[in-house]
Structure formats: structure tokens, C-alpha cells
Amino acid sequence: MVFDNLQAFIAMGGYGFYVWLAFGISFAAIAVLVITGLTARRKLQREFVREQRRQERLAQRKREVS
């Protein structure tokens, strides 16, 4: 489909509202997934570091008691 101008492209032959709405919803869903994934990754990294420090403290206490 060839469009004569930008307005015709945006209108998409009368289906522009649905087409752009679908693009918008898809973009929003992908953005939410990316943000959720990055947030979960950051949280897991913090928990991992906290657990490593805990394990180091426990090992040091065990060495001090022995």
C-alpha cells in the first residue's frame, strides 16, 4: 500500500486508530516486560551479594570459634 502523504499513512485507509493502538499496546507491553526483568535482575543481584556476605561472615565466625 502506497501512501501519498503523512496524513494518509497515519490514517491507514481508515484503520489507523486500530493499527496505532495495536502498536502502542504492543510497545507498552514490551516496555513493561523489559522494566520488570531489569528490576527483578537487580533485586536478585542484591540478594546474591547479601547471601555471599552472609556466608563469608558465617565462615569467619566458624574459623574464629575453631
Side-chain angles (χ1 to χ4, degrees):
M1 184 178 257
V2 178
F3 300 103
D4 295 330
N5 55 29
L6 182 61
Q7 188 173 0
F9 175 72
I10 292 172
M12 295 271 175
Y15 296 102
F17 175 76
Y18 304 106
V19 171
W20 297 115
L21 183 63
F23 274 114
I25 290 171
S26 299
F27 178 76
I30 291 170
V32 167
L33 287 172
V34 168
I35 291 168
T36 303
L38 291 174
T39 304
R41 179 179 182 211
R42 200 172 306 130
K43 181 181 176 185
L44 284 172
Q45 285 176 335
R46 282 193 306 258
E47 289 178 15
F48 180 73
V49 168
R50 190 176 339 142
E51 183 63 24
Q52 278 185 325
R53 289 178 183 159
R54 179 180 170 274
Q55 292 293 331
E56 289 171 3
R57 284 194 313 267
L58 288 173
Q60 185 179 11
R61 286 180 189 159
K62 190 173 183 180
R63 279 179 272 157
E64 289 173 356
V65 171
S66 299

